[in-house]
Coordinates of all heavy atoms in Angstrom, one line a residue:
M30 N 35.3 -67.0 -16.5 CA 35.1 -66.7 -17.9 C 33.7 -66.9 -18.3 O 33.3 -68.1 -18.3 CB 36.1 -67.4 -18.8 CG 35.9 -67.3 -20.3 SD 35.9 -65.7 -20.9 CE 37.6 -65.2 -20.3
T31 N 33.0 -66.0 -18.8 CA 31.6 -66.2 -19.3 C 31.4 -65.8 -20.9 O 32.0 -64.9 -21.1 CB 30.6 -65.5 -18.5 OG1 31.0 -64.1 -18.3 CG2 30.5 -66.2 -16.9
C32 N 30.6 -66.5 -21.4 CA 30.2 -66.0 -22.7 C 29.5 -64.7 -22.8 O 28.5 -64.6 -22.2 CB 29.5 -67.2 -23.5 SG 28.7 -66.6 -25.1
P33 N 29.9 -63.8 -23.7 CA 29.2 -62.4 -23.7 C 27.8 -62.5 -24.2 O 27.0 -61.7 -24.3 CB 30.1 -61.5 -24.6 CG 30.9 -62.6 -25.3 CD 31.1 -63.8 -24.5
K34 N 27.7 -63.6 -25.1 CA 26.4 -63.8 -25.8 C 25.2 -64.5 -24.9 O 24.1 -64.0 -24.9 CB 26.6 -64.6 -26.9 CG 25.7 -64.4 -28.2 CD 26.1 -65.0 -29.4 CE 25.4 -64.8 -30.5 NZ 25.7 -65.6 -31.8
C35 N 25.7 -65.5 -24.2 CA 24.5 -66.2 -23.6 C 24.8 -66.4 -22.0 O 24.1 -66.9 -21.3 CB 24.4 -67.7 -24.1 SG 25.7 -68.7 -23.8
N36 N 26.1 -65.8 -21.6 CA 26.5 -65.7 -20.2 C 26.7 -67.2 -19.7 O 26.7 -67.3 -18.4 CB 25.4 -65.0 -19.4 CG 25.6 -63.5 -19.5 OD1 26.6 -63.0 -19.7 ND2 24.4 -62.8 -19.5
S37 N 26.9 -68.2 -20.5 CA 27.2 -69.4 -20.0 C 28.7 -69.5 -19.5 O 29.6 -68.8 -20.2 CB 26.9 -70.5 -21.2 OG 27.6 -71.7 -20.9
E38 N 28.9 -70.3 -18.6 CA 30.4 -70.5 -18.1 C 31.0 -71.7 -18.7 O 32.2 -71.9 -18.5 CB 30.4 -70.5 -16.7 CG 30.2 -69.1 -16.1 CD 30.5 -69.2 -14.5 OE1 31.6 -69.9 -14.2 OE2 30.0 -68.2 -13.8
N39 N 30.3 -72.4 -19.8 CA 30.9 -73.5 -20.3 C 31.6 -73.0 -21.6 O 31.2 -73.3 -22.7 CB 29.7 -74.4 -20.7 CG 30.2 -75.7 -21.2 OD1 31.4 -76.0 -21.1 ND2 29.3 -76.6 -21.9
V40 N 32.8 -72.4 -21.3 CA 33.6 -71.8 -22.3 C 34.9 -72.5 -22.5 O 35.7 -72.8 -21.5 CB 33.8 -70.3 -22.1 CG1 34.8 -69.7 -23.0 CG2 32.4 -69.6 -22.3
N41 N 35.3 -72.9 -23.7 CA 36.5 -73.5 -23.9 C 37.6 -72.4 -24.5 O 37.3 -71.8 -25.5 CB 36.3 -74.6 -25.0 CG 37.2 -75.8 -24.9 OD1 38.0 -75.9 -23.8 ND2 37.1 -76.7 -25.8
I42 N 38.8 -72.5 -23.8 CA 39.8 -71.5 -24.3 C 40.8 -72.2 -25.3 O 41.3 -73.2 -24.9 CB 40.4 -70.9 -23.2 CG1 39.4 -69.9 -22.4 CG2 41.6 -69.9 -23.6 CD1 39.8 -69.5 -21.0
Q43 N 41.0 -71.5 -26.4 CA 42.0 -72.2 -27.4 C 43.0 -71.1 -27.7 O 42.7 -69.9 -27.8 CB 41.2 -72.5 -28.7 CG 40.2 -73.6 -28.5 CD 39.5 -73.9 -29.9 OE1 39.7 -73.2 -30.8 NE2 38.7 -75.0 -29.9
V44 N 44.3 -71.6 -27.7 CA 45.3 -70.7 -28.2 C 45.6 -70.9 -29.7 O 45.9 -72.0 -30.0 CB 46.6 -70.8 -27.4 CG1 47.7 -70.1 -27.9 CG2 46.2 -70.7 -25.8
I45 N 45.4 -70.0 -30.4 CA 45.7 -70.0 -31.8 C 46.9 -69.1 -32.2 O 47.1 -68.0 -31.8 CB 44.3 -69.5 -32.6 CG1 43.2 -70.4 -32.2 CG2 44.6 -69.4 -34.1 CD1 42.0 -69.8 -32.4
N46 N 47.8 -69.9 -33.0 CA 49.1 -69.2 -33.4 C 48.7 -68.7 -34.8 O 48.6 -69.6 -35.7 CB 50.2 -70.1 -33.3 CG 51.5 -69.4 -33.2 OD1 51.5 -68.2 -32.7 ND2 52.5 -70.0 -33.5
E47 N 48.8 -67.5 -35.0 CA 48.5 -66.9 -36.3 C 50.0 -66.3 -36.9 O 50.7 -65.7 -36.1 CB 47.6 -65.7 -36.2 CG 46.1 -66.3 -36.3 CD 45.1 -65.2 -36.1 OE1 45.4 -63.9 -36.2 OE2 43.8 -65.5 -36.1
Q48 N 50.1 -66.5 -38.2 CA 51.2 -65.8 -38.8 C 50.7 -64.8 -39.7 O 49.9 -65.0 -40.6 CB 52.0 -66.9 -39.6 CG 53.0 -67.6 -38.8 CD 54.1 -68.3 -39.6 OE1 53.7 -68.7 -40.7 NE2 55.1 -68.7 -39.0
K49 N 51.2 -63.6 -39.5 CA 50.8 -62.5 -40.4 C 51.7 -62.7 -41.6 O 52.6 -63.6 -41.7 CB 51.2 -61.2 -39.7 CG 50.0 -60.9 -38.7 CD 50.2 -59.5 -38.1 CE 49.0 -59.2 -37.2 NZ 48.9 -58.0 -36.5
L50 N 51.6 -61.9 -42.6 CA 52.1 -62.0 -44.0 C 51.4 -63.1 -44.8 O 51.9 -63.6 -45.8 CB 53.5 -62.3 -43.9 CG 54.5 -61.1 -43.5 CD1 56.0 -61.6 -43.5 CD2 54.4 -59.7 -44.3
V51 N 50.4 -63.6 -44.3 CA 49.6 -64.6 -45.0 C 48.6 -63.9 -45.9 O 47.9 -63.0 -45.6 CB 48.7 -65.4 -44.0 CG1 48.0 -66.5 -44.8 CG2 49.8 -66.1 -43.0
T52 N 48.7 -64.4 -47.2 CA 47.8 -63.8 -48.1 C 46.4 -64.4 -48.0 O 46.1 -65.5 -47.8 CB 48.3 -64.2 -49.6 OG1 49.7 -64.0 -49.7 CG2 47.6 -63.4 -50.7
K53 N 45.5 -63.3 -48.0 CA 44.1 -63.7 -47.8 C 43.4 -63.9 -49.2 O 43.8 -63.1 -50.2 CB 43.4 -62.7 -47.0 CG 43.6 -62.9 -45.5 CD 42.8 -61.7 -44.8 CE 43.2 -61.8 -43.3 NZ 42.6 -60.6 -42.6
H54 N 42.6 -64.8 -49.4 CA 41.9 -64.8 -50.6 C 40.5 -64.4 -50.6 O 39.6 -64.6 -49.6 CB 41.7 -66.5 -51.0 CG 43.1 -66.9 -51.3 ND1 43.6 -66.7 -52.6 CD2 43.9 -67.7 -50.5 CE1 45.0 -67.3 -52.4 NE2 45.1 -67.9 -51.2
H55 N 40.3 -63.4 -51.5 CA 39.0 -62.7 -51.5 C 38.1 -63.1 -52.7 O 38.6 -63.5 -53.7 CB 39.1 -61.2 -51.5 CG 39.8 -60.7 -50.3 ND1 39.1 -60.6 -49.0 CD2 41.0 -60.3 -50.1 CE1 39.9 -60.1 -48.1 NE2 41.1 -59.9 -48.7
G56 N 36.8 -63.0 -52.5 CA 35.8 -63.4 -53.6 C 35.8 -62.3 -54.5 O 36.4 -61.2 -54.4
I57 N 35.1 -62.5 -55.7 CA 35.2 -61.6 -56.8 C 34.4 -60.3 -56.5 O 34.8 -59.2 -56.8 CB 34.6 -62.2 -58.2 CG1 34.8 -61.3 -59.3 CG2 33.1 -62.7 -57.9 CD1 35.9 -61.9 -60.3
L58 N 33.3 -60.6 -55.6 CA 32.6 -59.4 -55.2 C 33.4 -58.5 -54.3 O 33.3 -57.2 -54.5 CB 31.3 -59.9 -54.4 CG 30.0 -59.6 -55.0 CD1 29.0 -60.4 -54.3 CD2 29.5 -58.2 -55.0
W59 N 34.3 -58.9 -53.5 CA 35.1 -58.2 -52.7 C 36.1 -57.3 -53.6 O 36.2 -56.1 -53.3 CB 36.0 -59.0 -51.8 CG 36.8 -58.3 -50.9 CD1 36.6 -57.9 -49.5 CD2 38.1 -57.8 -50.9 NE1 37.6 -57.3 -48.9 CE2 38.6 -57.1 -49.9 CE3 39.1 -58.0 -52.0 CZ2 39.8 -56.6 -49.7 CZ3 40.3 -57.3 -51.9 CH2 40.7 -56.7 -50.8
W60 N 36.6 -57.9 -54.6 CA 37.5 -57.2 -55.6 C 36.7 -56.0 -56.3 O 37.3 -54.9 -56.5 CB 38.0 -58.1 -56.6 CG 39.2 -58.8 -55.9 CD1 39.2 -60.1 -55.5 CD2 40.5 -58.3 -55.6 NE1 40.3 -60.5 -55.0 CE2 41.3 -59.4 -55.0 CE3 41.1 -57.1 -55.7 CZ2 42.6 -59.1 -54.5 CZ3 42.4 -57.0 -55.1 CH2 43.1 -58.0 -54.6
I61 N 35.3 -56.3 -56.6 CA 34.7 -55.3 -57.4 C 34.2 -54.2 -56.4 O 34.3 -53.0 -56.8 CB 33.3 -56.0 -57.8 CG1 33.7 -56.9 -59.0 CG2 32.4 -54.8 -58.4 CD1 32.7 -57.9 -59.5
C62 N 33.9 -54.5 -55.3 CA 33.3 -53.4 -54.3 C 34.4 -52.8 -53.5 O 34.4 -51.6 -53.5 CB 32.4 -54.2 -53.3 SG 30.9 -54.8 -54.1
I63 N 35.4 -53.4 -53.0 CA 36.4 -53.0 -52.1 C 37.7 -52.9 -52.6 O 38.5 -52.1 -52.6 CB 36.4 -53.7 -50.6 CG1 34.8 -53.7 -50.2 CG2 37.2 -52.9 -49.8 CD1 34.6 -54.7 -49.2
G64 N 38.1 -54.1 -53.4 CA 39.3 -54.4 -53.6 C 40.3 -53.4 -54.3 O 41.3 -53.1 -53.8
W65 N 39.8 -52.9 -55.4 CA 40.5 -51.9 -56.2 C 40.9 -50.7 -55.5 O 42.1 -50.3 -55.6 CB 39.7 -51.6 -57.4 CG 38.5 -50.8 -57.2 CD1 37.2 -51.4 -57.0 CD2 38.0 -49.5 -57.2 NE1 36.3 -50.4 -56.7 CE2 36.7 -49.3 -57.0 CE3 38.9 -48.3 -57.4 CZ2 36.1 -48.0 -56.8 CZ3 38.3 -47.1 -57.3 CH2 36.9 -46.9 -57.1
W66 N 40.0 -50.0 -54.7 CA 40.4 -48.9 -53.8 C 41.1 -49.1 -52.7 O 42.0 -48.5 -52.2 CB 39.2 -47.9 -53.7 CG 38.1 -48.4 -52.8 CD1 37.0 -49.0 -53.3 CD2 38.0 -48.4 -51.4 NE1 36.2 -49.5 -52.1 CE2 36.9 -49.1 -51.1 CE3 38.9 -47.9 -50.4 CZ2 36.5 -49.2 -49.6 CZ3 38.6 -48.0 -49.1 CH2 37.3 -48.8 -48.7
W67 N 40.7 -50.3 -52.1 CA 41.4 -50.7 -50.8 C 42.8 -51.0 -51.1 O 43.7 -50.6 -50.3 CB 40.7 -51.9 -50.2 CG 41.4 -52.5 -49.0 CD1 42.0 -53.8 -48.9 CD2 41.7 -51.9 -47.8 NE1 42.5 -53.8 -47.7 CE2 42.4 -52.7 -46.9 CE3 41.3 -50.5 -47.3 CZ2 42.8 -52.4 -45.6 CZ3 41.8 -50.2 -46.0 CH2 42.5 -51.0 -45.2
I68 N 43.2 -51.7 -52.1 CA 44.5 -52.0 -52.5 C 45.4 -50.7 -52.8 O 46.5 -50.5 -52.3 CB 44.6 -52.9 -53.7 CG1 44.1 -54.3 -53.5 CG2 46.1 -53.0 -54.3 CD1 44.7 -55.0 -52.4
F69 N 44.5 -49.8 -53.4 CA 45.2 -48.5 -53.7 C 45.5 -47.7 -52.6 O 46.6 -47.2 -52.3 CB 44.2 -47.7 -54.6 CG 44.6 -46.4 -55.1 CD1 45.7 -46.3 -56.2 CD2 44.1 -45.1 -54.6 CE1 46.0 -44.9 -56.5 CE2 44.5 -43.8 -55.1 CZ 45.6 -43.8 -56.0
V70 N 44.6 -47.6 -51.6 CA 44.7 -46.9 -50.3 C 45.8 -47.6 -49.5 O 46.6 -46.9 -48.9 CB 43.4 -46.8 -49.6 CG1 43.5 -46.3 -48.1 CG2 42.3 -46.0 -50.2
K71 N 45.8 -48.9 -49.4 CA 46.7 -49.6 -48.7 C 48.1 -49.5 -49.3 O 49.1 -49.3 -48.4 CB 46.2 -51.1 -48.7 CG 46.5 -51.9 -47.5 CD 45.6 -53.2 -47.3 CE 46.4 -54.5 -47.9 NZ 45.8 -55.6 -47.7
W72 N 48.1 -49.5 -50.5 CA 49.4 -49.2 -51.2 C 50.2 -48.0 -50.8 O 51.3 -47.8 -50.5 CB 49.3 -49.4 -52.7 CG 50.6 -49.5 -53.4 CD1 51.3 -50.5 -53.7 CD2 51.4 -48.4 -54.0 NE1 52.5 -50.2 -54.3 CE2 52.5 -49.0 -54.5 CE3 51.2 -47.0 -54.2 CZ2 53.5 -48.2 -55.2 CZ3 52.2 -46.2 -54.7 CH2 53.3 -46.7 -55.3
I73 N 49.4 -46.8 -50.8 CA 49.7 -45.5 -50.4 C 50.2 -45.5 -49.1 O 51.2 -44.9 -48.6 CB 48.8 -44.3 -50.9 CG1 48.6 -44.4 -52.4 CG2 49.1 -43.1 -50.3 CD1 47.5 -43.5 -53.0
F74 N 49.3 -45.9 -48.2 CA 49.5 -45.9 -46.7 C 50.4 -46.7 -46.1 O 51.1 -46.6 -45.1 CB 48.1 -45.7 -46.0 CG 47.4 -44.4 -46.2 CD1 46.4 -44.4 -47.2 CD2 47.8 -43.2 -45.5 CE1 45.7 -43.2 -47.4 CE2 47.1 -42.0 -45.9 CZ 46.0 -42.0 -46.8
L75 N 50.5 -47.9 -46.7 CA 51.4 -48.9 -46.1 C 52.6 -49.1 -46.9 O 53.7 -49.3 -46.3 CB 50.6 -50.3 -46.0 CG 49.3 -50.2 -44.9 CD1 48.7 -51.6 -45.2 CD2 49.8 -50.0 -43.6
T76 N 52.4 -49.4 -48.3 CA 53.7 -49.8 -49.0 C 54.7 -48.6 -49.1 O 55.9 -48.8 -49.0 CB 53.3 -50.2 -50.4 OG1 52.2 -51.2 -50.3 CG2 54.3 -50.8 -51.3
V77 N 54.3 -47.4 -49.4 CA 55.2 -46.2 -49.5 C 55.9 -46.0 -48.3 O 57.1 -45.8 -48.3 CB 54.3 -45.1 -50.2 CG1 55.3 -43.8 -50.1 CG2 53.8 -45.2 -51.5
P78 N 55.3 -45.8 -47.1 CA 56.0 -45.6 -45.9 C 56.9 -47.0 -45.6 O 58.0 -46.7 -45.1 CB 54.9 -45.6 -44.8 CG 53.7 -45.1 -45.5 CD 53.8 -45.8 -46.9
A79 N 56.5 -48.0 -46.0 CA 57.2 -49.4 -45.7 C 58.5 -49.4 -46.5 O 59.5 -49.6 -46.0 CB 56.4 -50.5 -46.0
L80 N 58.4 -48.9 -47.8 CA 59.5 -48.8 -48.7 C 60.6 -47.6 -48.2 O 61.8 -48.0 -48.1 CB 59.0 -48.4 -50.1 CG 58.5 -49.5 -51.0 CD1 58.1 -49.0 -52.3 CD2 59.7 -50.4 -51.3
I81 N 60.2 -46.5 -47.8 CA 60.9 -45.5 -47.2 C 61.6 -46.0 -45.9 O 62.7 -45.9 -45.8 CB 60.0 -44.3 -46.8 CG1 59.6 -43.7 -48.2 CG2 60.8 -43.2 -46.2 CD1 58.3 -42.8 -48.1
F82 N 60.8 -46.7 -45.1 CA 61.3 -47.4 -44.0 C 62.4 -48.4 -44.2 O 63.5 -48.3 -43.7 CB 60.1 -47.9 -43.1 CG 60.5 -48.4 -41.8 CD1 60.6 -47.6 -40.8 CD2 60.9 -49.7 -41.6 CE1 60.9 -47.9 -39.4 CE2 61.2 -50.2 -40.3 CZ 61.3 -49.3 -39.1
A83 N 62.2 -49.2 -45.3 CA 63.2 -50.2 -45.6 C 64.4 -49.6 -46.2 O 65.6 -50.1 -46.0 CB 62.5 -51.1 -46.6
I84 N 64.2 -48.3 -46.9 CA 65.5 -47.8 -47.4 C 66.3 -47.1 -46.4 O 67.6 -47.3 -46.4 CB 65.0 -46.7 -48.5 CG1 64.4 -47.4 -49.7 CG2 66.3 -45.9 -49.0 CD1 63.7 -46.5 -50.6
F85 N 65.7 -46.6 -45.5 CA 66.5 -45.8 -44.5 C 66.9 -46.6 -43.2 O 67.8 -46.4 -42.7 CB 65.6 -44.4 -44.0 CG 65.5 -43.4 -45.0 CD1 64.4 -43.3 -45.7 CD2 66.7 -42.6 -45.2 CE1 64.4 -42.3 -46.7 CE2 66.6 -41.6 -46.2 CZ 65.5 -41.5 -46.9
V86 N 66.0 -47.6 -42.9 CA 66.4 -48.3 -41.7 C 67.1 -49.7 -42.0 O 67.9 -50.2 -41.3 CB 65.1 -48.6 -40.9 CG1 65.3 -49.6 -39.7 CG2 64.4 -47.3 -40.5
G87 N 66.8 -50.2 -43.1 CA 67.5 -51.5 -43.6 C 66.6 -52.5 -43.9 O 65.3 -52.4 -43.8
K88 N 67.0 -53.7 -44.4 CA 66.2 -54.8 -44.8 C 66.0 -55.8 -43.7 O 66.4 -56.9 -43.8 CB 66.9 -55.3 -46.0 CG 66.7 -54.5 -47.3 CD 67.6 -55.1 -48.4 CE 67.5 -54.0 -49.5 NZ 68.2 -54.7 -50.7
R89 N 65.4 -55.4 -42.6 CA 65.2 -56.4 -41.5 C 63.7 -56.7 -41.7 O 62.8 -56.0 -41.4 CB 65.6 -55.8 -40.2 CG 67.0 -55.8 -39.8 CD 67.2 -55.3 -38.5 NE 67.2 -54.0 -38.4 CZ 67.1 -53.1 -37.3 NH1 67.2 -53.7 -36.1 NH2 67.1 -51.9 -37.4
K90 N 63.6 -58.0 -42.0 CA 62.3 -58.5 -42.2 C 61.9 -59.4 -40.9 O 62.7 -60.2 -40.6 CB 62.0 -59.3 -43.6 CG 61.5 -58.3 -44.7 CD 61.1 -59.0 -45.8 CE 60.8 -58.1 -47.0 NZ 60.3 -58.9 -48.1
K91 N 60.7 -59.3 -40.5 CA 60.3 -60.1 -39.5 C 58.9 -60.7 -39.9 O 58.0 -60.0 -40.3 CB 60.0 -59.2 -38.3 CG 61.2 -59.2 -37.4 CD 61.0 -58.3 -36.1 CE 62.3 -58.0 -35.3 NZ 62.1 -57.2 -34.2
I92 N 58.9 -61.9 -39.5 CA 57.4 -62.5 -39.5 C 56.9 -62.6 -38.2 O 57.6 -63.2 -37.2 CB 57.6 -64.0 -40.2 CG1 58.1 -63.9 -41.6 CG2 56.2 -64.7 -40.1 CD1 58.5 -65.3 -42.3
K93 N 55.8 -62.0 -38.0 CA 55.2 -61.8 -36.7 C 54.4 -63.0 -36.4 O 53.4 -63.3 -37.1 CB 54.5 -60.5 -36.7 CG 54.7 -59.8 -35.3 CD 53.9 -58.5 -35.4 CE 54.0 -57.6 -34.1 NZ 53.4 -56.4 -34.2
N94 N 54.7 -63.6 -35.3 CA 53.8 -64.7 -34.8 C 53.0 -64.1 -33.7 O 53.4 -63.6 -32.7 CB 54.8 -65.9 -34.2 CG 54.9 -67.0 -35.2 OD1 53.9 -67.4 -35.8 ND2 56.1 -67.5 -35.4
V95 N 51.8 -64.1 -34.0 CA 50.8 -63.5 -33.1 C 50.0 -64.7 -32.4 O 49.4 -65.4 -33.1 CB 49.8 -62.6 -33.7 CG1 48.8 -62.0 -32.6 CG2 50.7 -61.5 -34.5
T96 N 50.1 -64.8 -31.1 CA 49.3 -65.8 -30.3 C 48.2 -65.2 -29.8 O 48.1 -64.3 -29.1 CB 50.2 -66.5 -29.3 OG1 51.5 -66.8 -29.7 CG2 49.6 -67.6 -28.6
K97 N 47.0 -65.8 -30.3 CA 45.8 -65.3 -29.8 C 45.0 -66.3 -29.0 O 45.1 -67.5 -29.4 CB 44.9 -64.9 -31.1 CG 45.3 -63.6 -31.6 CD 44.3 -63.2 -32.7 CE 44.5 -61.8 -33.4 NZ 43.7 -61.6 -34.5
K98 N 44.4 -65.9 -28.1 CA 43.5 -66.6 -27.3 C 42.1 -66.5 -27.7 O 41.6 -65.4 -27.8 CB 43.7 -66.3 -25.9 CG 44.8 -67.0 -25.2 CD 44.8 -66.8 -23.7 CE 46.1 -67.4 -23.0 NZ 46.1 -67.0 -21.6
K99 N 41.5 -67.7 -28.1 CA 40.1 -67.5 -28.4 C 39.3 -68.5 -27.5 O 39.8 -69.4 -27.1 CB 39.9 -67.9 -29.9 CG 40.4 -66.7 -30.9 CD 39.8 -67.0 -32.2 CE 40.2 -65.7 -33.1 NZ 39.7 -65.7 -34.5
A100 N 38.2 -67.9 -27.1 CA 37.2 -68.7 -26.3 C 36.0 -69.1 -27.4 O 35.5 -68.5 -28.0 CB 36.8 -67.9 -25.1
V101 N 35.8 -70.4 -27.1 CA 34.6 -70.9 -27.8 C 33.6 -71.4 -26.8 O 33.9 -72.3 -25.9 CB 34.9 -72.1 -28.7 CG1 33.8 -72.8 -29.4 CG2 36.1 -71.8 -29.6
C102 N 32.4 -70.9 -26.9 CA 31.3 -71.2 -26.0 C 30.7 -72.6 -26.4 O 30.4 -72.7 -27.5 CB 30.4 -70.2 -26.0 SG 28.9 -70.5 -25.1
Q103 N 30.8 -73.4 -25.4 CA 30.1 -74.7 -25.6 C 28.7 -74.8 -25.8 O 27.9 -75.8 -26.1 CB 30.6 -75.8 -24.6 CG 32.2 -75.8 -24.5 CD 32.8 -76.3 -25.8 OE1 32.6 -77.4 -26.2 NE2 33.6 -75.5 -26.4
N104 N 28.1 -73.7 -25.3 CA 26.8 -73.6 -25.1 C 25.9 -73.1 -26.4 O 25.0 -73.6 -26.9 CB 26.3 -72.7 -23.9 CG 24.8 -72.8 -23.4 OD1 24.4 -74.0 -23.4 ND2 24.2 -71.8 -23.3
C105 N 26.5 -72.0 -27.0 CA 25.8 -71.4 -28.1 C 26.8 -71.4 -29.3 O 26.4 -71.0 -30.4 CB 25.3 -70.1 -27.9 SG 26.7 -68.7 -27.6
G106 N 28.0 -71.8 -29.1 CA 28.9 -71.8 -30.2 C 29.6 -70.5 -30.5 O 30.3 -70.3 -31.7
N107 N 29.4 -69.5 -29.8 CA 29.9 -68.1 -30.0 C 31.6 -68.1 -29.8 O 31.9 -68.8 -28.9 CB 29.4 -67.2 -29.0 CG 29.8 -65.7 -29.2 OD1 30.2 -65.4 -30.5 ND2 30.0 -65.0 -28.3
V108 N 32.2 -67.7 -30.6 CA 33.7 -67.5 -30.7 C 34.1 -66.0 -30.4 O 33.5 -65.2 -31.1 CB 34.4 -68.0 -32.0 CG1 35.9 -67.8 -31.9 CG2 33.9 -69.5 -32.3
F109 N 34.8 -65.8 -29.3 CA 35.2 -64.5 -29.1 C 36.6 -64.4 -28.7 O 37.1 -65.3 -28.2 CB 34.2 -63.8 -27.9 CG 34.0 -64.7 -26.7 CD1 34.7 -64.3 -25.6 CD2 33.2 -65.7 -26.7 CE1 34.6 -65.1 -24.5 CE2 33.0 -66.5 -25.6 CZ 33.7 -66.1 -24.4
N110 N 37.2 -63.2 -28.8 CA 38.6 -63.0 -28.5 C 38.9 -62.7 -27.0 O 38.0 -62.1 -26.4 CB 39.1 -61.9 -29.3 CG 39.2 -62.2 -30.7 OD1 39.6 -63.3 -31.0 ND2 38.9 -61.3 -31.5
L111 N 40.1 -63.3 -26.5 CA 40.5 -62.9 -25.1 C 41.5 -61.9 -25.3 O 41.9 -61.6 -26.4 CB 40.8 -64.1 -24.4 CG 39.7 -65.2 -24.1 CD1 40.4 -66.3 -23.6 CD2 38.6 -64.7 -23.2
N112 N 42.1 -61.4 -24.3 CA 43.1 -60.5 -24.1 C 42.8 -59.2 -23.5 O 41.8 -58.7 -23.8 CB 43.9 -60.0 -25.4 CG 44.6 -61.3 -26.2 OD1 44.9 -62.1 -25.6 ND2 44.4 -61.1 -27.4
Ligands
ZN17 ZN1 27.5 -68.6 -25.4

């Protein structure tokens, strides 16, 4: 395992357990620039099909636990994804 940034082999691998369905907090600038249309686009492309899916398939909800491996370079501090 080598760091893609500095090619150092002094890399620490960490396993991070992430839970999706976590609400992200965005700054006010994000809402002004991206938020309003992004939510709109997301609502159309994600919520509507999700609702249709929920109606026809049923109310099976899953919280997805995603295990991610991340490597932290001890030399330059670069964090990069493995997989
Ligand atoms: Zn590095």
